[in-house]
Amino acid sequence: EAGVVQSPRYKIIEKKQPVAFWCNPISGHNTLYWYLQNLGQGPELLIRYENEEAVDDSQLPKDRFSAERLKGVDSTLKIQPAELGDSAVYLCASSLGGSGAAGQYNEQFFGPGTRLTVL
Amino acid sequence: EDQVTQSPEALRLQEGESSSLNCSYTVSGLRGLFWYRQDPGKGPEFLFTLYSAGEEKEKERLKATLTKKESFLHITAPKPEDSATYLCAVQAYFGNEKLTFGTGTRLTIIP
């Protein structure tokens, strides 16, 4: 079974430029998450989708970040314009179930991440 | 606010030398505690979920246990391929499914 797919794996841009990351979750997984991971830290949630609905975007800096999950499958996270402090790894994860899911339906599986460097 | 503290930050062991990693947490109603393994340049790899105090889960040389305040990841007779950063995360009942992660323990197994 294929895991979570993310692209690109690496991206280097200059500040003030736009950037987009793409994620394709595990087939059949209804819930998709975008996390941000700074060096030496654990991942932090940016946004969570159940199917095509963003059910939790409270941690997403909406002045420059946006996300979409059209058709409830793959998703795109965008930053415009990028700032130096946005340099980090952007992780996508997916899980079978939605709110209140238990057991294996609640397990989140991560992709390899996109490492963003803003110069 | 949910908090997770992992210790030690880094641990070096000889191959075959067993030890434990600690994850202390405070959460407003624990729904689940998760352990992940992360290799350099890769995303976290799911290991275990624990749901209630007293629960234990095992996978190869790893065993995770849970109390009301902390979780331990016991590593028995580790091998060099067990070297990685081990992340602990908690999920609260009223946290919108969010996982709150600790900063991890970087484990190095010396041949």
Side-chain angles (χ1 to χ4, degrees):
Chain A
E1 178 183 290
V4 176
V5 179
Q6 291 189 247
S7 68
R9 290 296 317 278
Y10 305 92
K11 189 75 175 178
I12 300 174
I13 61 172
E14 298 201 342
K15 63 181 181 182
K16 300 185 181 179
Q17 294 300 305
V19 65
F21 315 123
W22 178 81
C23 171
N24 189 262
I26 294 172
S27 177
H29 281 201
N30 297 320
T31 304
L32 183 146
Y33 313 76
W34 282 103
Y35 285 85
L36 176 154
Q37 186 174 25
N38 288 304
L39 189 64
Q41 303 294 313
E44 299 174 34
L45 181 69
L46 291 172
I47 189 169
R48 176 173 68 95
Y49 282 92
E50 287 189 17
N51 299 305
E52 64 275 7
E53 182 183 358
V55 295
D56 182 7
D57 63 357
S58 58
Q59 304 302 311
L60 191 72
K62 298 181 185 63
D63 57 335
R64 297 184 299 107
F65 287 65
S66 64
E68 61 182 13
R69 192 186 184 197
L70 301 176
K71 301 182 181 178
V73 181
D74 56 352
S75 175
T76 301
L77 178 69
K78 298 178 182 177
I79 307 175
Q80 183 171 10
E83 297 179 352
L84 294 176
D86 295 332
S87 295
V89 176
Y90 291 82
L91 294 163
C92 180
S94 68
S95 63
L96 265 173
S99 299
Q104 65 174 336
Y105 291 85
N106 191 31
E107 296 167 359
Q108 296 183 24
F109 295 89
F110 285 80
T114 296
R115 181 176 297 278
L116 174 67
T117 302
V118 182
L119 302 176
Chain B
E1 186 176 320
D2 304 335
Q3 278 194 310
V4 177
T5 302
Q6 292 189 246
S7 63
E9 288 187 13
L11 181 62
R12 291 171 62 91
L13 300 172
Q14 293 290 328
E15 183 173 359
E17 180 184 2
S18 301
S19 188
S20 297
L21 313 182
N22 177 264
C23 171
S24 299
Y25 64 89
T26 55
V27 64
S28 53
L30 181 69
R31 182 167 164 219
L33 186 140
F34 298 73
W35 282 98
Y36 285 85
R37 168 194 171 127
Q38 187 170 28
D39 293 295
K42 296 188 177 181
E45 174 189 345
F46 173 79
L47 292 175
F48 306 107
T49 310
L50 302 168
Y51 290 102
S52 57
E55 187 176 2
E56 298 182 353
K57 287 192 176 174
E58 290 188 61
K59 180 179 179 179
E60 296 181 354
R61 296 176 292 281
L62 301 176
K63 183 169 83 171
T65 62
L66 180 65
T67 73
K68 290 186 177 180
K69 294 183 178 180
E70 57 192 351
S71 176
F72 291 94
L73 185 65
H74 306 277
I75 302 176
T76 302
K79 298 181 178 181
E81 54 262 41
D82 294 323
S83 297
T85 294
Y86 290 85
L87 295 165
C88 171
V90 296
Q91 186 181 52
Y93 272 110
F94 305 106
N96 291 322
E97 318 300 315
K98 180 180 70 172
L99 295 182
T100 299
F101 282 85
T103 55
T105 294
R106 188 172 67 255
L107 177 66
T108 304
I109 308 300
I110 305 163

